[in-house]
Amino acid sequence: MKDMLLSFHSYKGGTGKTTFVGNLGVLLAKRGGKVCIVDTDVNGPGIHSLFNIKYDMTLIDFLQGRCRAEDIIYEYDGDGLELYIVPTRACEEDISSLFDTPAEAREKMSELINALQRDLLIEHLIFDCSPGINRSSLLTMNLADKATIICTIDVQDIRGTYILSNMADKLGTKANLLFNRTPRDKQKEIEEVIKDFSNKLGTYLLGSMTFDDYVARAWSRKLVMEEDPECDYCLQLKTIAEKFV
């Protein structure tokens, strides 16, 4: 895979976005890439829990000028993986609200990106963004090479995804669409629905991943890509990952 700066979004919580991002990061690192996952979901941060990262300083501290970029980068203790995590902590404010102007917020986020690429030679930079339509998510979307919207077949989620896709288009960011947690017993009907929806949006459809009980039982506390990389969920994720090339 070539170097990528990817952002992952969802209109609602509970789409499995963070679980997908975490396991994708492990997959890319297993393939020899230098990977960093940045948690910008200040409303409900979860990447640090998934990777069991114990932190002192976080993204918020860096953005507020209380520390340097290198102080918030934590190396994951994986088996020979070059995988790094930038955690965040729960914050009442939106990331953009920490600055006087959107330009200042973008400049500070770009400073972090430059430090990761310069000092650690990060090849695959992945942002796990806050659900919903907010300035923080749009800021990150605008910085990314490609944005991926993770959606379920919930009607409200689909409507919100339509808005998110339009936002990406206005920002000039290429958007992918991924349906997640779809019912296995209705896969054929769902495939037809999501293809039609994607065509109407004019958005590239990565595909769909079925609900996986094995992943659900993990309770976002372990990475199935490390524990059982040949499980059904991981095989589906590998197929989706190929489409990022």
Side-chain angles (χ1 to χ4, degrees), residues 2 13 36 75 79 90 92-93 95 106 108-109 114 156 177 183-184 186-187 192 204:
K2 65 180 181 179
C36 182
E75 186 171 5
D79 186 18
E92 293 181 3
E93 297 178 299
I95 285 177
R106 180 184 175 89
K108 194 66 175 178
M109 287 295 292
N114 291 335
Q156 289 184 340
L177 179 61
R184 191 178 297 273
K186 296 183 179 180
Q187 197 61 16
E192 294 177 359
Y204 179 69

Side-chain angles (χ1 to χ4, degrees), residues 227-244:
E227 185 171 278
D228 186 3
E230 297 304 313
C231 72
D232 184 60
Y233 177 87
C234 293
L235 293 177
Q236 291 185 72
L237 191 150
K238 289 175 183 177
T239 299
I240 296 297
E242 292 298 333
K243 298 180 180 180
F244 285 117

Side-chain angles (χ1 to χ4, degrees), residues 38-72:
V38 180
D39 193 347
T40 62
D41 184 358
V42 296
N43 301 125
I47 286 293
H48 67 282
S49 296
L50 192 58
F51 285 89
N52 195 28
I53 298 293
K54 308 300 181 185
Y55 59 78
D56 295 314
M57 294 293 180
T58 72
L59 176 66
I60 297 298
D61 298 294
F62 169 72
L63 295 178
Q64 292 183 323
R66 291 199 290 264
C67 65
R68 302 165 301 172
E70 51 263 42
D71 297 326
I72 63 170

